[in-house]
Amino acid sequence: MPKTILITGCSSGIGHDAAHGLARAGWRVFATCRQQNDCDRLVAEGLESFVLDYANEDSIAAGLAEALSRSGGTLDALYNNGAFACPGAVEDLPRGALREIFETNLFGVHDLTRRVIPVMRAQGHGRIINCSSVLGLVGIRWRGAYVATKFAMEGLTDVLRLEMADTPIKVILIEPGPVTSDIRQNSVPHFERWIDWRNSARRGQYESGLLQRLYKDRGKPDRFELPPSAVTAKLLRALTAPNPAPRYYVTTPTFMMGLARRILPTRALDWVAGKG
């Protein structure tokens, strides 16, 4: 019987590549998305797909129930990949914007993970892999909301790994840097909904920087950008290694920032991060 994995956020980018890559590697993949039309597209591509929306508790419960129904009640691995960004200066982020992004990027991840743990404990094995980011290691301007969720994910995952050490469940972080995806263009509606940049004290900086990136350069690749297959390769290592590493870095910037965070004093790290 093929091993089973539930993956979130499979409509595009990292999740989409992971779903297809693992299916090719012989895994039975439950590729979930927030929207039914995306699930329909994945089914047409030959994947098993159904809705799972991190922001909706009922959807999380129903999505996991569907996966377990199809698998006969077992699940070998969970890959928490789904997330979105809400760009803007920290001083311009209203409370509602932070509440919304945490509901998806952290609270939903935590909810699904808690529901999966009893299944894995009962079956005697399992791997929980959380997709963090280089922005879970070092903060960069304009990305405060996303950075906050990924810093929180790092801490919560570290503690979960410690607590699961006396169980057969492995807990792993994957930390990509710039990877080809739709996250930038998908962030535009959140920016437009929540950020009142025209009345911001930083309006000039928005006009000379962030607006250019969001509206004119959003299809332009970042420096050191890699295709999502680079993340899938690390995901396969995390899933198959007898003793997986706690963390897997992807892309040069993640390795550089991981090292910088360990060796540089805060002011020097601020200078480096300020160049991003």
Side-chain angles (χ1 to χ4, degrees), residues 144-156:
Y146 186 81
V147 166
T149 65
K150 293 304 183 180
F151 267 58
M153 172 182 275
E154 293 272 330
L156 200 63

Side-chain angles (χ1 to χ4, degrees), residues 8-69:
T8 61
C10 295
S11 62
S12 63
I14 290 173
H16 186 265
D17 191 90
H20 281 286
L22 288 178
R24 288 192 298 269
W27 285 72
R28 185 177 182 187
V29 178
F30 302 123
T32 69
C33 309
R34 291 186 306 111
Q35 303 293 335
Q36 184 63 53
N37 62 317
D38 288 321
C39 295
D40 294 341
R41 173 170 50 86
L42 295 189
V43 169
E45 295 172 5
L47 294 169
E48 292 187 66
S49 183
F50 43 86
V51 170
L52 194 158
D53 182 355
Y54 277 141
N56 185 309
E57 291 184 43
D58 292 338
S59 178
I60 292 170
L64 178 58
E66 180 66 21
L68 295 176
S69 174

Side-chain angles (χ1 to χ4, degrees), residues 199-216:
N199 293 309
S200 170
R202 299 187 180 277
R203 176 171 178 163
Q205 294 175 4
Y206 280 103
E207 292 174 329
S208 64
L210 185 59
L211 296 182
Q212 172 82 19
R213 180 174 176 82
L214 290 179
Y215 293 100
K216 295 183 180 180

